Amino acid sequence: MQAKNMALNYGNFRALEDIDMDIYEKQVTALIGPSGSGKSTFLKSLNRMNDLVEGCKITGEISLEGKNIYGKNIDVNELRKNVGMVFQQPNPFPMSIYDNVAYGPRTHGIKDKKKLDELVEQSLKGAAIWDEVKDDLNKNGLAVSGGQQQRICIARALAVKPDVLLMDEPTSALDPISTLKVEELVQELRKDYTIVIVTHNMQQAARVSDYTAFFYADPAKGGGHSTVIEFGE
Ligand code: ADP
Ligand code: ADP
């Protein structure tokens, strides 16, 4: 993906300015920078989650495979299928582990039980949690540990076969062991997915990423007006 001369306003508040960034395929790009510098805002603009925020206006361009995702004739549902998202707070739906993972494929019209079984197994394996839950797929997604919940959410995102996976501080609500598991998982996933991960942890950025984009707000302009510096491998 690529951002070109991108800027974003929340009403009159200019959060992002002059953002030029390359997000390379099958690499991990970490977004770092102080709290309030616009990392989460930028992340959400990569799958148009920002369209849900009133008064949010984006100029410039963000493209996926050369196509402006804010352009005409863009199917936002299709875009969100290609660009999946995992949040800071694990948020499994209050339903079984199976139904959590089958949720995306079902909303995209897949009904065949065998096909769904296959996708659920593949996705839970892909999120390195299959062995822990395979005997209890009917268990509620909320009835497991936070670390397991987060990997179930990752499996839910993988189930619709995205190209890009956005992760918004995916480990900051997790204990150190669960954090390690998710970091190891990110290393596995990078073989198949383009990953953009927001973290406030510099060590984590160094451990998991190939590229780092540092966000900083301009104090001379009263905060906001964030731009980025990108660092290579
Ligand atoms: P970060 O993820 O780096 O902590 P955010 O992207 O959450 O930063 O926020 C960037 C700036 O945009 C902050 O000043 C924040 O207060 C502001 N902001 C975030 N979301 C909204 C919103 N929905 N409406 C207005 N301002 C917002
Ligand atoms: P956050 O406050 O974690 O940045 P948002 O405010 O953007 O998250 O979204 C609120 C909630 O909406 C999310 O925590 C999640 O439960 C739900 N949600 C919205 N879009 C999606 C999606 N594509 N996949 C999963 N959950 C989603």
Side-chain angles (χ1 to χ4, degrees):
M1 299 188 79
Q2 198 178 38
K4 266 193 248 165
N5 194 23
M6 181 255 185
L8 183 148
N9 269 52
Y10 290 120
N12 291 325
F13 178 75
R14 194 162 188 75
L16 300 172
E17 193 163 80
D18 288 336
I19 308 282
D20 287 291
M21 196 191 300
D22 281 313
I23 294 163
Y24 298 99
E25 272 182 43
K26 301 199 179 173
Q27 304 279 327
V28 180
T29 300
L31 310 184
I32 59 173
S35 180
S37 60
K39 305 179 295 292
S40 187
T41 292
F42 179 72
L43 193 77
K44 286 177 192 167
S45 63
L46 295 175
N47 74 346
R48 295 189 54 168
M49 290 283 289
N50 271 323
D51 288 21
L52 310 172
V53 178
E54 213 179 295
C56 175
K57 189 167 180 295
I58 291 175
T59 56
E61 190 176 310
I62 293 183
S63 57
L64 174 64
E65 284 162 12
K67 207 163 148 195
N68 185 0
I69 65 170
Y70 289 90
K72 283 189 189 117
N73 305 322
I74 287 290
D75 179 342
V76 177
N77 287 324
E78 193 58 28
L79 171 72
R80 296 211 180 111
K81 184 169 166 233
N82 288 336
V83 185
M85 184 125 179
V86 176
F87 300 88
Q88 173 171 3
Q89 212 57 47
N91 60 349
F93 302 136
M95 51 176 77
S96 71
I97 294 169
Y98 184 99
D99 288 340
N100 262 280
V101 183
Y103 188 88
R106 278 174 174 150
T107 59
H108 287 100
I110 297 177
K111 293 196 188 83
D112 181 62
K113 173 88 170 73
K114 229 178 110 198
K115 180 76 193 153
L116 286 172
D117 287 354
E118 206 177 284
L119 278 170
V120 168
E121 179 172 343
Q122 254 177 27
S123 308
L124 288 166
K125 280 182 175 161
I129 188 162
W130 173 249
D131 289 340
E132 290 163 56
V133 300
K134 66 174 190 284
D135 296 325
D136 220 352
L137 293 177
N138 287 323
K139 198 172 189 169
N140 196 291
L142 291 162
V144 295
S145 76
Q148 290 175 320
Q149 289 183 25
Q150 192 61 305
R151 281 177 288 135
I152 288 168
C153 292
I154 293 171
R156 184 175 65 193
L158 298 183
V160 294
K161 301 190 177 294
D163 297 314
V164 183
L165 202 53
L166 309 178
M167 307 178 109
D168 196 352
E169 301 201 23
T171 66
S172 54
L174 306 184
D175 64 79
I177 304 288
S178 302
T179 295
L180 194 68
K181 281 188 186 163
V182 170
E183 285 186 8
E184 282 170 2
L185 177 57
V186 169
Q187 291 308 305
E188 269 313 300
L189 292 172
R190 68 197 281 284
K191 295 171 190 160
D192 297 309
Y193 303 92
T194 300
I195 297 176
V196 186
I197 181 170
V198 171
T199 175
H200 58 252
N201 180 329
M202 299 283 240
Q203 281 81 17
Q204 179 170 74
R207 280 194 297 269
V208 304
S209 74
D210 303 291
Y211 293 87
T212 308
F214 181 73
F215 282 67
Y216 64 99
D218 188 345
K221 292 178 178 168
H225 297 269
S226 240
T227 188
V228 300
I229 318 176
E230 225 178 335
F231 299 94
E233 315 207 44

